Amino acid sequence: MATIVPFISWRPPAEIAEQVAAAPYDTLSRAEAVQEITREPLSFLRIDRPAALVDPAIDEYEAQVYARARAELDAWYEQGIMVPDNEALEPVYFVYRLTQQNHSQTGLVACASVADYKSGVIKRHENTRAKKECDRVEHIKVLEAHTGPVLLTYPSVQEIDELLEQTTAETKPLYDFVAPDGVRHEYWRLDDKEVMEQIQHCFERIPALYIADGHHRAAAAIRVADWYAEEQLEGQQAAQQFLVAVFGSDELQVLDYNRVISDLAGQSPQQVLNAIAEVMDVELKGAEPYRPAKRGELALYLEGLWYKLTVRETTRPQDAVDGLDVALLHSAILAPILHVEDPRSDPRITYIGGARGLAELAERADQTHGAAFALYPCSLAELFAVADEDRLMPPKSTWFEPKPKSGLAIHRMY
């Protein structure tokens, strides 16, 4: 039984929502965040990525960086850049629709339960990195607020779809804008008590929710909730919930999550190709970027040329994790041939989300005379299968696009 509840939201007024709304903090480098804040001074990255506001020589995990985020947010409260959703401080839901070209996805912005995460109702499929998790713990503690939604998904339920569609058809959106990347963001308040109760009851009949994106934010929220309880702090009840954007599986679009290896581990390109040919079928495709067309296909970029790599299905393990294309890439090529032992910590590997395109893969590989690999996207069915076994996918296995913006809702603990 899943618990998805309304919450008391703080959010920007409609006339500045487009300026405030920002990409998730972890999709941009520190330098990219600086550029974005320069372009848009009201960007929520001021709150979510405060390292962009301080001297580059200062480590982004220093206490003064989190203090800067709190000072910025307090100023926003005072200046009316972030205000209560309603004067009565009533908890509500929000319906959130993102449209990118001919893809549209509609979901719910709400709060999820820390208890559900601990009990396994909310399932994860990735490990977290200690440093990144600690970063979000400190960020939440200092701000006393959850500022970025965790993206959750579940096998789609028609009744929930119909209730959300009813809200979008019958009410005027609070926000409706097109971001610089071309994605349209529409955002409705859902405060009809009868409909809210129906939605809660629908989720109570769902046995599991799955973290699609935001594992570090979710894990940090659980640690903060425990800290509030241990210290008996004011706000500990609110801390038992965390901010989420929840979309049915039929709504989400999964893109590839690709890899660049910065060198060939002392080998020539031909030696690498020869070694790969021992474990996968290799076909030269030429200078034009090649995108895998189905499960079992990978693409390799090496020294100005693209190659199609085909998994030999007779060698694919019949295992929810080991049988994934992304796992086979590591076990058959990255570890034994290019000597990437730990994909979570090896500095030679860089992960590039599919939204950035294949050209960036080639450019990154050319800069270091390394190699780039593009994958066919993992399916949500594969993600569900791994999570249902309480197992983990390799790091950076899924990239969801378009992504909900941060800054359209805050869940405060005070």
Side-chain angles (χ1 to χ4, degrees):
M1 183 179 83
T3 304
I4 295 294
V5 296
F7 69 111
I8 300 169
S9 172
W10 288 66
R11 61 181 183 82
E15 59 270 18
I16 60 171
E18 180 178 356
Q19 297 165 264
V20 171
Y25 79 99
D26 54 353
T27 62
L28 301 173
S29 68
R30 186 173 182 175
E32 288 171 332
V34 171
Q35 293 175 353
E36 183 59 19
I37 291 171
T38 301
R39 182 194 71 81
E40 179 45 76
L42 274 185
S43 171
F44 196 72
L45 289 168
R46 301 182 74 92
I47 313 299
D48 252 7
R49 198 69 192 272
L53 301 177
V54 301
D55 190 313
I58 297 174
D59 188 277
E60 61 184 314
Y61 304 115
E62 289 283 343
Q64 62 180 295
V65 176
Y66 302 107
R68 177 63 183 270
R70 178 58 187 260
E72 292 282 330
L73 186 55
D74 285 345
W76 278 24
Y77 292 144
E78 293 173 6
Q79 296 165 15
I81 297 172
M82 199 63 65
V83 298
D85 169 70
N86 59 79
E87 291 183 3
L89 297 180
E90 290 287 341
V92 300
Y93 288 127
F94 298 93
V95 180
Y96 190 4
R97 175 175 293 155
L98 300 90
T99 304
Q100 183 180 47
Q101 297 175 346
N102 49 1
H103 169 78
S104 183
Q105 61 191 54
T106 303
L108 194 70
V109 176
C111 271
S113 164
V114 165
D116 280 358
Y117 184 100
K118 290 181 174 181
S119 69
V121 171
I122 296 176
K123 298 177 180 289
R124 63 194 184 108
H125 68 271
E126 279 189 9
N127 261 323
T128 58
R129 296 187 182 188
K131 197 168 188 178
K132 285 186 66 176
E133 185 178 316
C134 289
D135 166 58
R136 287 302 98 178
V137 167
E138 291 306 309
H139 191 265
I140 297 168
K141 279 184 176 181
V142 173
L143 268 63
E144 298 179 272
H146 298 114
T147 59
V150 175
L151 180 60
L152 298 181
T153 188
Y154 57 94
S156 290
V157 175
Q158 184 176 350
E159 186 178 351
I160 295 176
D161 294 343
E162 291 172 352
L163 289 168
L164 300 188
E165 188 62 36
Q166 176 184 323
T167 298
T168 65
E170 296 178 356
T171 61
K172 182 180 178 181
L174 298 170
Y175 309 139
D176 185 355
F177 61 88
V178 177
D181 60 3
V183 177
R184 182 181 182 186
H185 298 263
E186 298 169 274
Y187 202 82
W188 292 262
R189 180 193 294 114
L190 198 171
D191 56 7
D192 183 299
K193 294 191 183 302
E194 182 178 341
V195 176
M196 288 197 292
E197 287 180 5
Q198 287 178 276
I199 288 175
Q200 274 192 263
H201 292 327
C202 284
F203 277 105
E204 287 170 358
R205 296 193 294 270
I206 294 174
L209 302 172
Y210 301 83
I211 298 176
D213 196 16
H215 283 80
H216 292 92
R217 278 164 278 169
I222 275 60
R223 287 175 55 185
V224 170
D226 288 346
W227 177 70
Y228 265 78
E230 289 165 5
E231 300 295 325
Q232 293 291 295
L233 299 174
E234 183 178 351
Q236 61 180 295
Q237 184 173 350
Q240 296 304 312
Q241 300 171 348
F242 59 99
L243 186 64
V244 295
V246 196
F247 292 82
S249 57
D250 291 347
E251 301 286 318
L252 292 177
Q253 177 176 249
V254 188
L255 300 186
D256 42 313
Y257 214 151
N258 303 316
R259 283 97 167 105
V260 176
I261 314 301
S262 62
D263 63 65
L264 303 183
Q267 303 166 88
S268 71
Q270 192 58 53
Q271 286 175 314
V272 170
L273 285 170
N274 290 344
I276 293 175
E278 294 292 322
V279 293
M280 292 186 187
D281 296 332
V282 178
E283 178 185 346
L284 174 63
K285 302 301 287 189
E288 290 299 312
Y290 174 73
R291 185 178 296 280
K294 61 182 180 180
R295 183 177 187 263
E297 289 184 5
L298 298 81
L300 163 66
Y301 176 80
L302 189 61
E303 292 286 301
L305 295 173
W306 288 87
Y307 300 84
K308 173 183 171 182
L309 311 180
T310 304
V311 174
R312 295 167 185 160
E313 291 299 327
T314 55
T315 65
R316 185 190 293 272
Q318 298 302 307
D319 181 89
V321 176
D322 296 341
L324 295 170
D325 285 356
V326 64
L328 288 170
L329 170 62
H330 181 78
S331 64
I333 298 175
L334 298 189
I337 298 173
L338 294 175
H339 307 308
V340 176
E341 299 302 332
D342 186 348
R344 291 176 298 171
S345 61
D346 195 314
R348 297 166 53 231
I349 189 168
T350 302
Y351 298 97
I352 310 291
R356 291 183 177 258
L358 297 180
E360 182 163 339
L361 282 182
E363 181 181 339
R364 295 279 192 103
D366 285 341
Q367 288 171 355
T368 59
H369 300 286
F373 295 89
L375 294 114
Y376 187 74
C378 285
S379 69
L380 282 172
E382 289 174 316
L383 185 156
F384 290 168
V386 171
D388 285 341
E389 291 186 8
D390 293 323
R391 299 177 66 193
L392 303 175
M393 301 175 90
K396 308 299 183 184
S397 293
T398 54
W399 179 277
F400 291 87
E401 193 74 25
K403 294 180 181 292
K405 291 286 191 184
S406 293
L408 299 181
I410 285 179
H411 172 237
R412 284 176 44 162
M413 266 87 83
Y414 67 100

